[in-house]
Amino acid sequence: MRKEPNLFKVCILSLVFAFIVGLVGIETAWATDTSLKIGLATNQRTGYVFSKSMLYFKDASGKTFKASGKVLLKTNSPKKIYVNGKSATLPLAITSKTPIYWGNRPYRGWLQIYPSSQGFNVINVISVEQYLRGVLKMEVNPAWQMEALKAQAVVARTYALRNKGKHSSQGFDLCALPHCQVYRGINAEDPKLDRAITSTKGLVLYYGSKLAVTPYHSDSGGYTANVWDVWSGNIPYLKAQKEPFSYVSPYSNWRAVIPLGELESKLRKNGINLGKIQRITIAKRDEGGRAVSILIEGTGGRKTIKASKFRMIAGSDKIRSTNFEIKGVGKNRSTPTGRLSNQLSEEAVLNDHDGKLLSSLVKEGVFSTEELMDMLVHPERKPHYLRVALQRQSGTKSKTSYYFASSNGNALVLEGRGWGHGVGMSQWGAKSMAEHGWDFKKILMYYYPGTKLKKIY
């Protein structure tokens, strides 16, 4: 006679099974959920969509319709949009069997029209791998070595997934601008870059149990930056690293001339009102020589700010990196550090200008303990030690750190190396590594030490 199953045990086993399946389902869903919402345009009032095949529309109420050719989208009220004159409720989904154009650019996936405070946002919903096809060409040259391209694919993929939801308040994950990653859809696709993406499909960088933070930049100028010096936080794998190979890029050397009036105005707009600038000092440098903080002194006060903030205030298109020297000024400006007062003799008493200069050099650690003690015991020797310090600077690669303004000057002059914030992978550095035979894994482990590669789909 067949024994009837214990109903209580059956129920318990069923619940346990369901729980386990649920956990697996959650993990599987995360691993296979590779779609992204990319903001192509925000706060639009009108615009056109187009596809070479039929366009299908579905609005928030479930209403569906179709149209062909160039279709006009227009709104004049919140959450309402007109599609070739037909009223629809936002958000609106637009699909087609062929790529959909917004403006003059074609995109894979499908479009979503999402309500915004001033009209509507245009969003491209697309898989991560297809998204990368529209990103890589905007970041690296397809002619570069394949291993450098693979490294870029991995960091761009990791960045996208780590920052998913960055613009959630606007209805999308990432924007198509440098604020996130530049994305140009099908127009940016390239066969060689496609191979780099395909060969690293699903590969991302992890640190511990989380996706790694993977910022990157164009050119470090020979030495990357500490994340805590540029932004904030203590991320152990985003630390200053010397490039293992020297290389030349279009950004290896640059020069910036910034009118003082313009700089003073930009400082005021950022809540820093110091009056007329009298002196600018690089107050601190990191181990690679990159400026960390800037002291600005003016007729209305003095303030120390992060060099990265100073760069953004002055204009990152002008000050391309924080790896710079203050060379002085343009026409009719006083000289940078290196020139002493004409009246200075071997045993003279320092004037205010030279006294401040000596104090700054002391803070910078130019002198040995013995020299500092000698100056303390024999203050009359300070002019001698000031000359010694300046001779050391002129005889080495140490960087000019000071700028003294005169009443008839007009511009600050900087000379620097590299382009970008300097944190994480240097794209030109990765190119050089690939040229020296490094594979993409070795490149990534150098720029993000302690992270691990993981295939998530």
Side-chain angles (χ1 to χ4, degrees):
M1 180 172 149
R2 183 173 177 268
K3 188 176 179 181
E4 292 295 323
N6 187 306
L7 292 178
F8 178 77
K9 289 183 178 179
V10 170
C11 290
I12 293 297
L13 289 172
S14 298
L15 288 171
V16 170
F17 179 77
F19 179 73
I20 293 171
V21 171
L23 288 179
V24 173
I26 290 170
E27 179 64 24
T28 302
W30 185 90
T32 57
D33 181 15
T34 58
S35 65
L36 290 171
K37 292 184 176 182
I38 311 301
L40 305 179
T42 58
N43 295 320
Q44 304 294 296
R45 304 290 294 183
T46 185
Y48 288 92
V49 291
F50 165 78
S51 181
K52 294 179 180 179
S53 57
M54 189 66 69
L55 287 163
Y56 298 89
F57 301 84
K58 183 177 181 180
D59 76 355
S61 69
K63 182 169 67 175
T64 61
F65 50 94
K66 59 185 179 180
S68 60
K70 196 174 183 180
V71 178
L72 174 64
L73 305 179
K74 188 174 182 180
T75 184
N76 54 22
S77 61
K79 296 188 178 181
K80 288 289 183 181
I81 193 166
Y82 292 90
V83 182
N84 276 352
K86 294 181 180 180
S87 176
T89 304
L90 295 176
L92 177 73
I94 308 174
T95 60
S96 180
K97 292 180 180 179
T98 53
I100 304 172
Y101 285 72
W102 167 255
N104 60 356
R105 290 195 183 118
Y107 296 94
R108 300 186 187 279
W110 54 280
L111 299 187
Q112 183 183 56
I113 309 301
Y114 192 85
S116 71
S117 59
Q118 300 177 45
F120 59 84
N121 297 337
V122 182
I123 300 166
N124 182 199
V125 184
I126 191 169
S127 73
V128 173
E129 302 305 306
Q130 296 288 6
Y131 162 72
L132 292 176
R133 297 179 71 189
V135 168
L136 257 64
K137 194 174 182 179
M138 310 310 299
E139 297 292 347
V140 288
N141 188 335
W144 287 5
Q145 287 70 19
M146 179 58 73
E147 296 306 305
L149 304 181
K150 289 179 182 178
Q152 182 65 52
V154 173
V155 296
R157 183 183 293 111
T158 307
Y159 180 93
L161 290 170
R162 167 86 189 194
N163 290 278
K164 188 174 182 179
K166 189 173 183 178
H167 289 272
S168 58
S169 62
Q170 296 173 281
F172 51 90
D173 294 314
L174 303 167
C175 67
L177 304 174
H179 176 256
C180 293
Q181 295 185 121
V182 179
Y183 170 66
R184 291 292 180 267
I186 292 174
N187 287 351
E189 293 178 2
D190 177 89
K192 186 176 178 181
L193 294 174
D194 285 349
R195 293 198 299 275
I197 295 166
T198 302
S199 63
T200 62
K201 182 179 178 180
L203 280 178
V204 292
L205 285 173
Y206 262 74
Y207 186 75
S209 61
K210 295 182 179 180
L211 285 163
V213 179
T214 55
Y216 54 90
H217 58 282
S218 183
D219 181 358
S220 71
Y223 221 108
T224 64
N226 295 309
V227 67
W228 47 89
D229 289 332
V230 177
W231 299 309
S232 60
N234 185 12
I235 303 174
Y237 53 89
L238 294 180
K239 59 184 180 179
Q241 297 263 65
K242 184 179 180 180
E243 298 287 356
F245 308 106
S246 61
Y247 58 84
V248 177
S249 84
Y251 321 116
S252 291
N253 296 284
W254 53 264
R255 188 172 188 266
V257 179
I258 306 170
L260 284 192
E262 176 186 317
L263 182 56
E264 289 158 357
S265 176
K266 288 182 175 180
L267 286 168
R268 284 194 299 272
K269 288 178 181 178
N270 283 271
I272 305 172
N273 190 353
L274 303 175
K276 295 291 184 181
I277 293 174
Q278 294 181 314
R279 185 185 189 207
I280 297 176
T281 307
I282 297 178
K284 181 182 178 183
R285 292 186 185 272
D286 67 10
E287 55 265 52
R290 188 181 292 267
V292 173
S293 58
I294 304 291
L295 172 62
I296 307 169
E297 298 175 82
T299 56
R302 64 204 301 254
K303 188 174 181 65
T304 300
I305 62 174
K306 278 194 170 186
S308 55
K309 182 177 181 180
F310 178 75
R311 174 179 175 246
M312 299 310 292
I313 290 174
S316 58
D317 57 330
K318 292 184 177 181
I319 303 179
R320 293 186 171 184
S321 76
T322 55
N323 197 347
F324 61 76
E325 300 175 27
I326 300 177
K327 300 303 291 184
V329 291
K331 188 177 180 181
N332 296 327
R333 296 303 298 230
S334 60
T335 60
T337 297
R339 178 178 295 178
L340 303 176
S341 302
N342 294 330
Q343 296 78 16
L344 183 63
S345 64
E346 185 64 22
E347 298 299 326
V349 176
L350 296 179
N351 60 28
D352 287 344
H353 175 284
D354 298 327
K356 289 178 180 178
L357 178 53
L358 181 63
S359 296
S360 297
L361 290 167
V362 169
K363 291 177 182 178
E364 199 171 272
V366 172
F367 302 101
S368 69
T369 303
E370 290 76 18
E371 289 170 336
L372 291 173
M373 288 299 296
D374 192 46
M375 277 189 277
L376 184 64
V377 176
H378 301 286
E380 71 277 4
R381 297 180 184 175
K382 287 181 180 179
H384 163 73
Y385 281 114
L386 182 52
R387 281 195 177 87
V388 169
L390 293 173
Q391 288 168 1
R392 286 173 181 167
Q393 286 191 324
S394 63
T396 66
K397 295 182 179 179
S398 64
K399 300 170 178 58
T400 307
S401 300
Y402 312 96
Y403 156 68
F404 295 94
S406 63
S407 59
N408 61 349
N410 56 18
L412 171 67
V413 179
L414 305 177
E415 291 183 1
R417 293 155 295 285
W419 197 345
H421 48 67
V423 181
M425 187 179 76
S426 162
Q427 292 165 323
W428 280 87
K431 173 181 180 290
S432 176
M433 293 174 184
E435 289 171 344
H436 283 81
W438 288 27
D439 66 16
F440 79 98
K441 295 178 182 179
K442 188 174 181 179
I443 293 171
L444 294 172
M445 292 306 105
Y446 188 84
Y447 285 117
Y448 309 99
T451 62
K452 293 183 178 180
L453 276 169
K454 183 177 179 181
K455 189 174 180 65
I456 60 172
Y457 53 81

